[in-house]
């Protein structure tokens, strides 16, 4: 009888422990980040958002903005360069905590990602060689051209959506800077990419022989920071964005890096 009672007590204890585990408080995404003491930020090299300057300093609009946000959250920013095509996999596997790199908000992406409010207005533009300025003047003139854009980017989407550009020969590359290099090397006729990057690089330094097709704006879009779906971090970062707009930090960074801030 004692053995039976002992067995019953053991089973009852096990059941109560199982129930307690089953009702344990689930850690929120923000709590997870704070517990780690850092926010792991996924990026690709993209001037003026995240890049290394001539003096070897890792900098950029998104870099400095992320540092300001992390300071208010009480965590350390850790920047990790990722394969842009695998960004959602990296996020959901918790290799990174967010995608913060001139990340365009789309309805499709919102199905799998929680975005902050828009903080930068952007558009897609077309970059060609200056020598081809008379040849390529509008979308129709590019209908038979060799086009290039970053894989899984807004530039790629813009090419597919345009009735003229979609007729051209399209090649995807890993980065927007790779797209510029293809045009510079003559292996592509035109690159479709973010105006924020184009303004920072085209016509300057090693890209001084390139220019935009004037007046050809393919789409207007907005950047947001992408966090894990249904997490609570995006809402907290939104509050901090409001603070950084109110104290002038966001506007000062926009002026410094020549990007169009959403207010």
């Amino acid at each position: 009888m004692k053995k039976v009672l002992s067995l019953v007590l053991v089973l009852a204890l096990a059941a109560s422990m199982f129930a307690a585990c089953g009702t344990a408080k689930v850690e929120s995404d923000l709590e997870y980040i704070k517990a780690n003491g850092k926010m792991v930020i996924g990026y690709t090299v993209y001037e003026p958002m995240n890049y290394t300057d001539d003096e070897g300093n890792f900098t950029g609009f998104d870099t400095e903005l992320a540092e300001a946000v992390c300071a208010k959250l009480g965590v350390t920013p850790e920047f990790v360069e990722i394969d842009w095509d695998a960004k959602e996999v990296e996020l959901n596997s918790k290799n990174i905590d967010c995608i913060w790199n001139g990340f365009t908000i789309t309805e499709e992406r919102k199905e799998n990602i929680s975005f902050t409010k828009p903080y930068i207005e952007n558009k897609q533009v077309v970059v060609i060689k200056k020598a081809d300025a008379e040849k390529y003047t509008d979308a129709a003139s590019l209908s038979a051209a060799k086009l290039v854009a970053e894989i899984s980017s807004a530039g790629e989407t813009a090419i597919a959506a345009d009735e003229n550009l979609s007729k051209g020969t399209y090649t995807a590359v890993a980065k927007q800077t790779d797209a510029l290099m293809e045009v510079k090397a003559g292996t592509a006729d035109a690159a479709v990419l973010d105006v924020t990057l184009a303004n920072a690089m085209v016509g300057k330094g090693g890209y001084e022989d390139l220019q935009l097709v004037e007046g050809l704006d393919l789409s207007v879009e907005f950047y947001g920071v992408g966090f894990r779906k249904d997490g609570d971090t995006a809402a907290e970062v939104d509050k901090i964005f409001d603070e950084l707009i109110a104290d002038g930090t966001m506007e000062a960074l926009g002026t410094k890096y020549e990007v169009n801030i959403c207010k």
Side-chain angles (χ1 to χ4, degrees):
M1 184 65 176
K2 289 182 179 179
K3 289 183 178 180
V4 173
L5 288 173
S6 297
L7 180 59
V8 170
L9 288 172
V10 169
L11 290 174
L13 179 60
S16 65
M17 291 177 64
F18 179 80
C21 290
T23 58
K25 182 178 181 294
V26 177
E27 185 180 56
S28 77
D29 201 51
L30 182 59
E31 289 172 341
Y32 168 80
I33 292 170
K34 287 187 173 183
N36 288 334
K38 63 182 180 180
M39 181 183 289
V40 184
I41 300 163
Y43 79 96
T44 61
V45 177
Y46 170 16
E47 188 175 351
M49 310 311 282
N50 308 89
Y51 67 102
T52 301
D53 65 19
D54 293 337
E55 297 178 355
N57 302 307
F58 185 67
T59 188
F61 179 90
D62 274 344
T63 302
E64 289 202 42
L65 182 58
E67 289 170 343
V69 168
C70 285
K72 286 183 174 289
L73 287 174
V75 298
T76 301
E78 180 179 310
F79 296 92
V80 176
E81 188 172 359
I82 60 173
D83 178 348
W84 192 247
D85 197 34
K87 55 189 175 294
E88 291 187 26
V89 174
E90 296 280 8
L91 181 64
N92 292 325
S93 63
K94 291 193 173 181
N95 289 332
I96 59 175
D97 294 316
C98 63
I99 305 165
W100 201 329
N101 184 230
F103 192 24
T104 301
I105 301 170
T106 67
E107 291 304 312
E108 181 180 6
R109 286 173 174 169
K110 285 165 69 174
E111 293 178 3
N112 302 308
I113 291 172
S114 287
F115 279 96
T116 62
K117 64 178 65 180
Y119 65 98
I120 293 283
E121 182 178 334
N122 182 54
K123 59 185 176 182
Q124 294 301 302
V125 294
V126 181
V127 176
I128 59 172
K129 281 188 173 182
K130 288 182 178 178
D132 290 332
E134 294 184 6
K135 181 178 180 181
Y136 300 124
T137 57
D138 55 19
S141 63
L142 288 158
S143 60
K146 291 180 288 185
L147 305 171
V148 64
E150 181 182 65
I151 190 168
S152 301
S153 69
E156 184 176 78
T157 301
I159 291 172
D162 187 272
E163 64 176 343
N164 290 299
L165 298 185
S166 60
K167 296 175 183 177
T169 303
Y170 171 64
T171 301
V173 293
K175 302 175 184 178
Q176 293 195 81
T177 48
D178 292 342
L180 289 179
M181 288 301 299
E182 293 286 340
V183 177
K184 182 175 176 61
T187 49
D189 298 313
V192 179
L193 44 80
D194 294 358
V195 71
T196 49
L197 182 142
N199 285 342
M201 302 185 71
V202 172
K204 306 171 185 177
Y207 303 102
E208 59 185 9
D209 57 338
L210 304 183
Q211 70 170 56
L212 275 64
V213 177
E214 293 187 15
L216 183 53
D217 298 335
L218 298 179
S219 62
V220 175
E221 63 225 13
F222 299 91
Y223 291 163
V225 185
F227 291 92
R228 281 179 279 277
K229 182 67 175 176
D230 297 328
D232 53 350
T233 314
E236 187 66 20
V237 172
D238 277 346
K239 295 177 185 177
I240 296 175
F241 278 178
D242 288 341
E243 294 173 11
L244 296 175
I245 289 171
D247 69 13
T249 299
M250 191 88 81
E251 185 173 358
L253 288 175
T255 300
K256 179 179 180 179
Y257 291 102
E258 301 180 339
V259 296
N260 190 13
I261 301 295
C262 297
K263 298 181 180 179

